[in-house]
Amino acid sequence: MKAIVWTKYGSPDGLHLQEVEKPTPKDNEILVKIRATTVTAGDCEMRRLQLPLMLSFPMRLYAGLIKPTRIPILGQELAGDVTAVGPNVTSFKIGDPVFGVTGFKFGAYAEYICLKANPNETQGALALKPANLSYEEAAAVPTAGFEALHFLRQAAVQPEQKVLVFGAGGSIGTFAVQLAHTFGAEVTAVDSAPKLAMLRALGADHVIDYAQQDFTQNGETYDVIIDVVGKKGFARRLKSLNPDGRYFLANAGLSHLLRDWWTSKTSGKKVVIGSSSQSKEDLLFLKDLIEAGKIKPVIDERRFSLAQIPEAHRYAETGRKIGNIAITVGTDDGSRTRRFDSFGG
Ligand SMILES: NC(=O)c1ccc[n+]([C@@H]2O[C@H](COP(=O)([O-])OP(=O)(O)OC[C@H]3O[C@@H](n4cnc5c(N)ncnc54)[C@H](OP(=O)(O)O)[C@@H]3O)[C@@H](O)[C@H]2O)c1
């Protein structure tokens, strides 16, 4: 089978299309013919190994000290069809369309992957694909959907609470805006100008172009701030939180950990860091919302094939992507994928 093999940390030049051995499922595994995968900001950070200090060393230990020898193939999200099942598998059958996430195994930048039929939370999550999504759309759901859901659940968002999403137009942000809107919150979405119309269509009540306006200077305060950007200015943004508000950080560094501790000690505000787990229950929860028409993944209009994954990584790093980058694997040309501008709001 073909796969994008990861040979070195750093630029996308370390990603190569190669012929590798097709895997065979063990007794409790299924073989999935991958029809779509994604390139996320997280994939790019992993490739560069440019992670917060507290993560980069453990990740290097896990993946390989000098080269990523223990993770030969990157990619966490996928959608595809089950083409073989191990003898102990009862939860899936050949022909089932599935979507999910591989956990720390990675390996979704390939034509086939073997996955545990009933993984634990470090081994990913897998479920039948939502009936109303293309493979490309379905592949873009799990990791960002989990993260956004995790934040909104921890915030226990109530109807009419004010939620601000900082970096709303990317993978996590587009799910966070839709979930907050679905939970009845008044949503403010902050991102660059080309993404604001899409964010309104997803349910944002207010949109702010961060190049034109600094939301910390607009006199408003919020019950919940979801920050997926995490650049400098964090202390200023914290001031826009209500006295008992919750501030969620998707990519926290050591300074944020200290700020988390200090803020919680000295005020009613709480800074929350840490990632979601990857559970089948949450995947099914997201699937139900998708099939009920309440949320849907936003896919950038630029499409890539498996061979073009290095190019997709470069594109992800331009900052121009809208929502998620989908990769079509095999013969599916993605023609059933609708763009964000067909979203009903
Ligand atoms: N995706 C996941 O599942 C996941 C899970 C855990 C943690 N994380 C971490 O969370 C972070 C965000 O992930 P993501 O996948 O949502 O990233 P993403 O898709 O790249 O989205 C980030 C968004 O922030 C916007 N942005 C950049 N600078 C901004 C600024 N100064 N003010 C407001 N908006 C700004 C970007 O727009 P412009 O480029 O147009 O400026 C983009 O729309 C990453 O560090 C990632 O590692 C991600």
Side-chain angles (χ1 to χ4, degrees), residues 193-235:
K195 303 178 189 176
L196 301 185
M198 173 270 290
L199 289 165
R200 276 202 188 281
L202 295 181
D205 301 282
H206 316 282
V207 292
I208 296 175
D209 172 0
Y210 70 79
Q212 296 298 322
Q213 192 193 343
D214 178 351
F215 78 86
T216 65
Q217 304 300 312
N218 68 6
E220 295 284 338
T221 55
Y222 302 90
D223 300 299
V224 176
I225 296 179
I226 294 175
D227 176 350
V228 307
V229 181
K231 290 186 180 149
K232 65 178 191 274
F234 168 67

Side-chain angles (χ1 to χ4, degrees), residues 40-43 45 51 77 142-145 147 151 166-173 190-195 210 227-229 231 237 250-251 275-276 316 318-324:
T40 66
D43 291 345
E45 287 161 11
L51 302 165
E77 297 181 303
T143 63
E147 200 71 4
F151 292 154
F166 185 59
S171 303
I172 300 176
V190 186
D191 211 300
S192 52
K195 303 178 189 176
Y210 70 79
D227 176 350
V228 307
V229 181
K231 290 186 180 149
R237 295 198 289 278
N251 58 355
S275 278
S276 59
T318 60
R320 291 203 306 271
K321 88 173 167 78
I322 292 186
N324 300 275

Side-chain angles (χ1 to χ4, degrees), residues 4-252:
I4 295 289
V5 175
W6 186 28
T7 56
K8 63 174 186 202
Y9 300 122
S11 82
D13 297 345
L15 301 172
H16 304 278
L17 185 70
Q18 285 181 16
E19 203 59 46
V20 301
E21 199 177 329
K22 183 176 164 184
T24 307
K26 298 196 180 86
D27 290 357
N28 58 352
E29 287 183 340
I30 61 173
L31 177 69
V32 179
K33 177 175 171 49
I34 297 176
R35 305 282 300 272
T37 180
T38 60
V39 169
T40 66
D43 291 345
C44 296
E45 287 161 11
M46 180 76 185
R47 187 202 75 233
R48 295 191 302 262
L49 212 70
Q50 258 174 11
L51 302 165
L53 203 61
M54 58 197 177
L55 281 181
S56 68
F57 187 63
M59 199 46 96
R60 196 181 271 270
L61 273 184
Y62 175 70
L65 276 181
I66 312 293
K67 293 195 292 188
T69 43
R70 281 193 288 279
I71 304 179
I73 301 171
L74 272 175
Q76 276 209 65
E77 297 181 303
L78 64 105
D81 298 311
V82 177
T83 55
V85 298
N88 297 343
V89 174
T90 53
S91 45
F92 294 101
K93 60 182 189 317
I94 291 174
D96 279 346
V98 291
F99 77 130
V101 60
T102 64
F104 284 113
K105 176 186 167 96
F106 296 87
Y109 292 174
E111 290 182 314
Y112 291 88
I113 190 168
C114 283
L115 294 168
K116 289 201 177 350
N118 295 301
N120 67 32
E121 292 190 359
T122 60
Q123 295 164 335
L126 207 58
L128 290 178
K129 179 175 85 64
N132 56 343
L133 294 191
S134 66
Y135 289 99
E136 286 81 359
E137 288 171 316
V141 173
T143 63
F146 285 150
E147 200 71 4
L149 183 61
H150 171 70
F151 292 154
L152 287 158
R153 277 199 182 133
Q154 288 222 347
V157 169
Q158 303 298 314
E160 293 173 31
Q161 276 193 324
K162 288 165 71 180
V163 174
L164 179 134
V165 184
F166 185 59
S171 303
I172 300 176
T174 47
F175 281 104
V177 167
Q178 295 180 79
L179 287 167
H181 174 69
T182 299
F183 295 164
E186 181 183 330
V187 185
T188 301
V190 186
D191 211 300
S192 52
K195 303 178 189 176
L196 301 185
M198 173 270 290
L199 289 165
R200 276 202 188 281
L202 295 181
D205 301 282
H206 316 282
V207 292
I208 296 175
D209 172 0
Y210 70 79
Q212 296 298 322
Q213 192 193 343
D214 178 351
F215 78 86
T216 65
Q217 304 300 312
N218 68 6
E220 295 284 338
T221 55
Y222 302 90
D223 300 299
V224 176
I225 296 179
I226 294 175
D227 176 350
V228 307
V229 181
K231 290 186 180 149
K232 65 178 191 274
F234 168 67
R236 202 174 62 245
R237 295 198 289 278
L238 204 52
K239 291 191 180 136
S240 294
L241 199 60
N242 281 336
D244 56 353
R246 298 282 176 271
Y247 194 108
F248 293 87
L249 265 163
N251 58 355

